[in-house]
Structure formats: structure tokens, C-alpha cells
Amino acid sequence: MENHRVYFRNGQEVLALGQGTYRMGNSSADKSEEIKALRTGIELGMQVIDTAENYDNEELVGEAIRGLRDRVFLVSKVQPSHAVRQGTIITSCERSLRKLHTDFLDLYLLHWEGRSSFEETVSAMLKLQQDGKIKMWGVSNMDVHKMERFYVIPGGNTCAANQVAYNIETRGTEFDLLPWCTQRKVVFMAYSPIGEGDLIRNRTLMEIGKRHNATAAQIALAWSLRLPNILSIPKAGSVRHVEENFKSLSILLTNEDIRDLNS
């Protein structure tokens, strides 16, 4: 697993397999198991936990990481409607910090492009960094053109990450955005690496899984982790699912596997 490490521009090193939380916290009946799942992932070394203010589950994440904050690389996102002015971005960040019961975020992202000015976003992120409320900032759902717009803004080239959809069925970004990010040391965060669960029924993935005594989901995750600079953040709502995801780190795809997947 030593090969599965991702390095941020401030020198922070994390396991390339993290934990997403999209749609967690929707059911009070699942809350206990979801908290156990997140804590299990932390114990296994999957220290990156990704949430967002519009997921409406930051309190759940805060409860899951209680007593384990020093072992967690915590990510949250501001929604564009709260990113119109520097002041509203800062207010949103402070609200997220209270819900998460923490003094700082390791990474704070603009969730997607809205009506907000990129200049305002950069200004606010730099102020949050200066005040110690975030360690790094980044973006989500941005293509190369938008990233280049950020980069011409003073301080915009300190963007640390871009979080985008990336899996075996959604891979267009690997031809332009991934190399762009890698060249500039912007971590490429892959959400929905199992296609929101759809890929578990993919016949090719299941066939390749038989070669490795693995599930289709594990093959999809191993594929998402095959290149450097990719931080994959699948969601897992149960302890069993977290443990299954973690085992994908030990799968080494062969040239034959990659050829079959590409075809």
C-alpha cells in the first residue's frame, strides 16, 4: 500500500483511498452503522473524509471523528450560493466547523461553479487560510478551462485539489484534466469511483474480479487507484463495505485486465 499515497502541495501525505459521505445521514435508522463505518475506515488508515454543507450531514461526520480528529484529513465544500462574497464564504466555513466540532479543515472546496466570482472565492479561501481555519483550499467539478481561469487570479495557483466524477464509465477527464492537475501538483479527487453503485453489476468488472478473487466494486476501485495523484473517495455506509473497499488497495491489475477494461 506504500504505492497508494497522494501528496498535497503543503507536504501532507494521505492514503489514496478515502471515504465519501454523499447521501449519508439521510436515515436516522442508519446513523449508528454509518458512524461505525467511518470510524472503521479511520482505524484502517483511510484518513480522508469528504463531506459538504449541502450534504446536510456534517454533524454526523463530526460525531464520527470525535476523539479521532488528529487521525483525519477532513474535507468539506461550500455551495456556490454561499460563495458570492468573501464574507458569506467565511460564514459558511465557520458554520461547517461548528457542525464538525473542529477548529480547522484540512481542505475546503468550492462545490461547483455558480454565480459567484472566482476572484471572491480565491480571496476568501486565502483569508480562511491566513486565519488558520483551513489548511488548503480547492475546487470541485471544474474542467481545464475553469481551472485556467483560477490560475490567472493572484493566489489562484495555490489551489490544492479538484474533485470530479471519475470511474471506468466516466473517464473523459483523464485525457486532459488529470494530466493538467498532475503537472501542477493539484490533487485529483475522484468521487463516484463505483458509479454510485452501478458498476457492481458490470460484467467485465465481475469477470476480472474472478481472476483476483475480488468483487466488481473492488476492481472498479483498484482501477481508480492505478495512477498517481488520484485520491479516490467511495462512500461506504457499513463496516463490511468499508472493509471490502480497503481490500482493493491490495489488487494489482495486470496489463490484460487494463486491456479488457479499456475495450
Side-chain angles (χ1 to χ4, degrees):
M1 289 186 298
E2 286 304 311
N3 294 330
H4 292 300
R5 311 297 296 181
V6 171
Y7 302 87
F8 284 89
R9 60 171 63 249
N10 70 347
Q12 177 82 47
E13 174 187 345
V14 299
L15 191 67
L17 184 64
Q19 303 187 82
T21 64
Y22 180 56
R23 292 180 178 170
M24 274 191 182
N26 288 350
S27 168
S28 58
D30 296 332
K31 179 180 177 181
S32 177
E33 182 64 18
E34 289 171 341
I35 289 174
K36 287 179 183 177
L38 290 171
R39 293 179 74 89
T40 296
I42 297 168
E43 294 293 340
L44 289 171
M46 299 161 61
Q47 70 262 53
V48 175
I49 297 181
D50 176 83
T51 183
E53 65 173 346
N54 82 326
Y55 292 176
D56 197 26
N57 65 9
E58 288 174 316
E59 292 98 337
L60 180 144
V61 173
E63 188 172 342
I65 68 174
R66 188 168 295 159
L68 299 171
R69 179 64 182 94
D70 61 340
R71 299 171 61 180
V72 172
F73 184 96
L74 189 58
V75 185
S76 193
K77 300 182 280 290
V78 58
Q79 61 189 53
S81 61
H82 293 162
V84 179
R85 293 182 302 277
Q86 183 188 90
T88 54
I89 300 174
I90 291 172
T91 298
S92 283
C93 181
E94 291 172 341
R95 183 167 52 245
S96 290
L97 292 175
R98 288 193 298 272
K99 290 181 177 181
L100 290 161
H101 302 289
T102 186
D103 296 326
F104 71 94
L105 293 170
D106 294 281
L107 180 63
Y108 195 42
L109 309 176
L110 174 65
H111 207 154
W112 65 88
E113 181 184 20
R115 293 179 297 171
S116 57
S117 156
F118 284 0
E119 286 78 8
E120 284 284 347
T121 297
V122 173
S123 174
M125 294 298 191
L126 295 178
K127 180 68 165 62
L128 287 167
Q129 255 186 320
Q130 181 183 344
D131 293 345
K133 293 173 182 175
I134 66 174
K135 298 295 185 183
M136 292 176 286
W137 69 276
V139 296
S140 181
N141 299 302
M142 301 292 174
D143 59 19
V144 169
H145 174 68
K146 292 169 186 172
M147 292 301 293
E148 289 177 339
R149 283 173 53 196
F150 269 104
Y151 253 58
V152 298
I153 299 169
N157 62 351
T158 62
C159 176
N162 187 7
Q163 185 180 127
V164 298
Y166 182 64
N167 57 59
I168 190 67
E169 290 185 328
T170 307
R171 58 186 299 188
T173 52
E174 75 185 36
F175 300 103
D176 56 358
L177 184 61
L178 177 55
W180 191 97
C181 289
T182 300
Q183 183 179 359
R184 292 161 181 80
K185 297 182 179 179
V186 176
V187 170
F188 187 93
M189 295 182 69
Y191 71 79
S192 296
I194 312 176
E196 295 191 18
D198 296 339
L199 291 173
I200 63 173
R201 292 176 290 276
N202 182 281
R203 290 184 179 181
T204 301
L205 290 172
M206 289 191 288
E207 285 300 317
I208 293 173
K210 292 177 183 177
R211 303 172 191 170
H212 297 272
N213 192 28
T215 66
Q218 288 172 325
I219 298 300
L221 284 178
W223 181 89
S224 74
L225 296 165
R226 76 198 187 288
L227 299 174
N229 197 47
I230 296 179
L231 172 55
S232 190
I233 50 169
K235 184 199 83 168
S238 69
V239 170
R240 180 194 61 79
H241 194 179
V242 170
E243 292 173 340
E244 178 183 328
N245 287 350
F246 184 73
K247 290 176 182 177
S248 68
L249 291 164
S250 63
I251 298 172
L252 181 62
L253 296 176
T254 66
N255 291 335
E256 179 187 6
D257 295 334
I258 297 297
R259 184 177 65 247
D260 291 344
L261 289 167
N262 286 342
S263 66

